[in-house]
Amino acid sequence: MPWAVDLHLHSCLSPCGDELMTPNNLAKMALLKGLDLIAVTDHNTASQLPAVEKVCAGLGLGLLPGMEITTREEAHLLAYFPSVAQAVDFSRWLYPHLPPIPNRPDFFGPQWVMDQEDEILREEPRLLLSAVDLSIDQLAHHIREAGGLAVPAHINRGGNGLLNVLGFLPPQAPFDALEISRALPCPPDPGIPDYPHLHSSDAHRLEDILERQEFLPLDAPTPQAFFDYIRGWQKITG
């Protein structure tokens, strides 16, 4: 059956995320808006996911664990994982590839890691908006080796969209889907029809989280059902 989804949300751990995007606030707003499955995809980290997982479990809201990685080319790449544990493990592996540039909370905003009660556990000192030292091809391979899915983010929007960064889709990159912004035209590209398309909010504020407007035909609002859908689509079209 179709389930309402928004698979690209930022918490207050992302420096560009509003301070009100706490684990409880974003999960409860998603539920209020009628969503069945969300993905919290903070920049270059999965440290907020354990708290979000506990909140979502208490609300009966599905959570797809993820993160949004800035590649060496300055493109944004979404990584989705079957479990929070796998996402956190990948986040720990990725951290040394992030340059040791300190965050400036007065300029970029604070980077808060919270618990399930929205209490601040710590503030991440390293600027999470920086690009890691790995290419988009390398990252896509590592994500897949770790059991995840690699999805270029908002490919037709902003300075970090893949089509704006490179001007094309790398033909050999092991992508699993593409996130495309509905708000903007997407230039025709021979590779684009070969991937399932996702449409999400990339919300950094509570009010920007989607209403019930994007649906996926999943068996259930769970990570496993999402992975089955993406891999089933690849099997049919491949």
Side-chain angles (χ1 to χ4, degrees), residues 47-220:
S47 296
Q48 199 80 283
L49 289 178
V52 176
E53 181 180 40
K54 292 176 182 177
V55 174
C56 287
L59 296 173
L61 178 65
L63 174 67
L64 174 65
M67 53 196 301
E68 184 177 26
I69 304 168
T70 303
T71 74
R72 188 172 61 200
E73 302 91 345
E74 300 281 351
H76 283 179
L77 180 66
L78 293 165
Y80 296 121
F81 294 94
S83 71
V84 168
Q86 286 169 280
V88 170
D89 284 345
F90 190 84
S91 178
R92 289 172 179 156
W93 173 85
L94 184 70
Y95 194 79
H97 295 277
L98 191 68
I101 300 171
N103 182 36
R104 287 180 49 194
D106 60 322
F107 185 80
F108 296 107
Q111 300 179 149
W112 291 333
V113 179
M114 294 184 165
D115 65 15
Q116 66 269 29
E117 303 297 332
D118 290 353
E119 295 292 332
I120 298 173
L121 297 176
R122 64 181 178 88
E123 189 165 352
E124 169 56 48
R126 192 174 292 194
L127 179 62
L128 295 172
L129 285 176
S130 302
V132 299
D133 62 0
L134 298 166
S135 72
I136 193 165
D137 285 8
Q138 290 173 318
L139 279 165
H141 281 288
H142 283 300
I143 291 166
R144 282 183 146 200
E145 287 176 355
L149 300 175
V151 180
H154 45 74
I155 64 169
N156 58 326
R157 195 205 77 212
N160 301 109
L162 189 57
L163 294 181
N164 292 325
V165 172
L166 298 181
F168 61 94
L169 291 174
Q172 303 304 319
F175 300 141
D176 296 287
L178 300 175
E179 184 190 65
I180 299 174
S181 173
R182 288 196 186 276
L184 295 169
C186 192
D189 185 285
I192 289 177
D194 296 332
Y195 298 95
H197 297 173
L198 303 176
H199 308 284
S200 301
S201 68
D202 190 11
H204 293 71
R205 301 178 301 171
L206 292 171
E207 58 265 36
D208 294 331
I209 297 174
L210 291 181
E211 307 280 347
R212 288 180 62 85
Q213 61 198 75
E214 295 295 339
F215 297 86
L216 290 179
L218 310 178
D219 290 336

Side-chain angles (χ1 to χ4, degrees), residues 5-19:
V5 302
D6 192 349
L7 303 182
H8 189 164
L9 305 176
H10 291 271
S11 82
C12 56
L13 177 53
S14 291
C16 48
D18 191 86
E19 294 177 15

Side-chain angles (χ1 to χ4, degrees), residues 24-41:
N24 276 276
N25 283 349
L26 69 85
K28 290 177 180 178
M29 180 60 77
L31 198 66
L32 184 65
K33 292 194 171 190
L35 298 180
D36 303 304
L37 178 68
I38 63 171
V40 173
T41 54

